[in-house]
Amino acid sequence: MPEQATVPAQTPALWRNGFRPFYLLASVFAALSVALWALQLAGVLVRPYLAGALWHAHELLFGFTLAVVVGFLFTAGRNWSNRPTPSGLSLAAFAALWVAARVLVLTPFGWAAALVNTAFPLAAAVALAIPFLAARNRRNYFFVAMLVLIAAAVLAVHLAQLEVIALPAWLGIQVALDAVLLIMTVMAGRVIPMFTNNGIAGANATLRPWLEKAALGSVLVLLLADTLQLGGLALALVLALGSAVHLVRWWLWQPWKTLRTPLVWVLHAAYLWIPVYLALRGAAALGLVAASVATHALTVGAIGGLVIGMMTRTARGHTGRPLLADRADVACYVLVLAAAVVRVAVPLAAPAATLHAVLGSAALWSAGFGLYALRYWPVLSRARVDGKAG
C-alpha cells in the first residue's frame, strides 16, 4: 500500500508521521528535563515518586530517548513495510500516552506511573509488529523485540522501586541502556556508511561483514553480562574488546573525510562516543574512573549526538527540504557534543569540579535541544514544502 493511501488528506501535518510529534516532544523535553535535573542536583527541586539520579536516568532513557526511537521507527517502519503506521488520532494517542508517563513519574502515584511507562513501549511494539508481520519484513522484527525488552526493563525499574521485586532499580536502567546501544549499533551500521558514501564523493566508507557481526555480538555479550550482573575483570575484558571492535568499525567509515559535511560528521562524532563509553566503563569496572563518567559518554555523547544528527536529517528529508545542515543545525550539533565533552572530560581531569561540569553540560544540552525545538517547530508542524504526503 503506498504511503499516500495510508494518511487521510485532512490529517493535520503534525499528526501525519511519527517523527513530527515525537521529535518535537523529545526536543522540548530534553531542553527542560536536564535543566530540571540540574536544579534538583543543586538542591533547588525535590521530586516525589522517582527522585534524584534514578529520575534523571529514567527520563533520559524512557522519556527523551524512547520518544525519538518510536518517532523514528514509526516513520521508517512505514517505508520499510510499505504499510501504515500510526497517524492522525492514533498517533496523537501515542503522544498523549508518552506525556502522561512523563507527568506520572512526578506524582506520588507509583503504580500508575509503572503501568503507563510500561504501556508506551509495548503499544509501540504492537504498532510496529502489525505492518512488519503483514509485509513479512523479517529484517526489522529486531526493533519490535527491542521495544519489548525496553518495556520489560522499565517495568523492572518500577517494580524494584515499588519493592515488589528484590532487584536493584538500576539493573533495569542498565539493561535498557544496552538495548538502546544495540539499536544504535544496528542503525549506525545501516545509515552512517551509506550517508557518508552518498554525501561525500570518494569517501569509500567500508563495511566488513565479520566486523559488523563482531560489533553487534559485543553489545549482545554486554547485555548478557549486565543481565547476569557480571563485574570486575571479566566485565572489563568484555568492554575492552567491544571498544576495540567499535573503534575499528568507526575508522573504516573514513570519518576524516566528512569534516566539510556537518550532516554527516555529526553522526561520526557521535558514534565515536560508543568506543569511548565502552573503554571508560571498562575502566570503571576496575575502579579507575567514576561509573557516571562512562555512562554520560554514552547518554550525552552517543545518544545525544546521534539523536540530534538524525532528528535534523530526518526532519529535513521527510519534509522535502535539502539535506544540507544550516547554521542553526550546526549550532545544535556543537552544543550537544560540547555538553558531552564537558560532562565527561572535566570530571576526569578535575573531579572536584564535577558539579560545575554537570551544570555546564546541562546548560549546553538544554541550549542545543531548545534551539532544535525553536528551529524545527514550524518545520514539523507544517506540510511538506514539496507538496508530497508525509
Side-chain angles (χ1 to χ4, degrees):
M1 182 183 301
E3 182 179 327
Q4 289 85 343
T6 67
V7 183
Q10 68 271 22
T11 302
L14 184 63
W15 307 109
R16 295 185 66 82
N17 214 329
F19 75 94
R20 291 176 174 272
F22 280 112
Y23 285 9
L24 189 55
L25 285 170
S27 59
V28 171
F29 185 66
L32 294 177
S33 66
V34 177
L36 288 172
W37 160 238
L39 292 174
Q40 186 179 152
L41 187 67
V44 178
L45 297 175
V46 178
R47 293 296 167 190
Y49 168 59
L50 289 184
L54 183 60
W55 173 83
H56 173 52
H58 182 282
E59 291 304 274
L60 189 143
L61 266 174
F62 305 118
F64 165 71
T65 304
L66 189 55
V68 176
V69 168
V70 169
F72 174 82
L73 288 177
F74 280 179
T75 303
R78 185 182 299 178
N79 295 331
W80 293 338
S81 65
N82 203 28
R83 297 291 195 283
T85 55
S87 63
L89 287 177
S90 63
L91 182 56
F94 270 97
L97 186 64
W98 181 89
V99 171
R102 309 285 60 77
V103 172
L104 283 169
V105 294
L106 302 179
T107 72
F109 308 119
W111 276 106
L115 291 173
V116 174
N117 275 278
T118 304
F120 178 70
L122 275 182
V126 172
L128 278 175
I130 291 170
F132 287 171
L133 289 171
R136 297 184 180 179
N137 191 248
R138 295 182 179 87
R139 183 174 187 241
N140 292 306
Y141 290 175
F142 158 81
F143 294 107
V144 175
M146 287 298 99
L147 288 172
V148 172
L149 178 59
I150 289 171
V154 71
L155 179 61
V157 171
H158 287 275
L159 292 181
Q161 183 71 5
L162 293 165
E163 300 182 347
V164 175
I165 57 176
L167 287 173
W170 285 100
L171 178 60
I173 296 291
Q174 188 59 63
V175 168
L177 276 173
D178 292 343
V180 171
L181 176 57
L182 191 56
I183 291 172
M184 291 193 299
T185 300
V186 170
M187 286 311 304
R190 291 188 186 184
V191 304
I192 295 180
M194 178 179 66
F195 291 165
T196 302
N197 289 330
N198 290 347
I200 301 165
N204 195 30
T206 304
L207 289 171
R208 298 274 193 273
W210 67 269
L211 189 61
E212 295 302 295
K213 292 176 182 177
L216 298 178
S218 69
V219 181
L220 287 171
V221 171
L222 178 59
L223 174 60
L224 177 61
D226 285 334
T227 303
L228 298 175
Q229 301 184 65
L230 191 68
L233 181 59
L235 180 61
L237 288 173
V238 169
L239 290 160
L241 288 172
S243 178
V245 166
H246 284 271
L247 186 60
V248 172
R249 187 192 200 205
W250 172 79
W251 187 257
L252 289 174
W253 293 342
Q254 316 286 330
W256 60 90
K257 295 182 179 179
T258 69
L259 298 180
R260 295 181 182 274
T261 312
L263 209 62
V264 180
W265 69 242
V266 64
L267 302 178
H268 286 266
Y271 190 85
L272 179 59
W273 282 101
I274 290 179
V276 170
Y277 157 70
L278 295 170
L280 287 173
R281 193 171 166 214
L286 298 176
L288 301 177
V289 301
S292 64
V293 171
T295 300
H296 285 89
L298 175 63
T299 55
V300 184
I303 294 176
L306 286 172
V307 161
I308 197 66
M310 289 302 294
M311 285 205 310
T312 53
R313 187 182 189 98
T314 307
R316 285 183 166 278
H318 285 275
T319 60
R321 288 169 170 80
L323 290 177
L324 294 171
D326 61 20
R327 291 181 180 179
D329 296 332
V330 174
C332 290
Y333 303 160
V334 171
L335 287 165
V336 173
L337 292 171
V341 172
V342 169
R343 184 60 185 87
V344 174
V346 172
L348 284 175
T354 295
L355 179 58
H356 296 294
V358 171
L359 296 174
S361 177
L364 290 165
W365 173 280
S366 294
F369 282 103
L371 177 58
Y372 177 91
L374 289 172
R375 168 70 179 83
Y376 279 88
W377 189 299
V379 173
L380 297 170
S381 59
R382 295 174 185 169
R384 291 178 60 120
V385 294
D386 57 7
K388 295 181 180 179

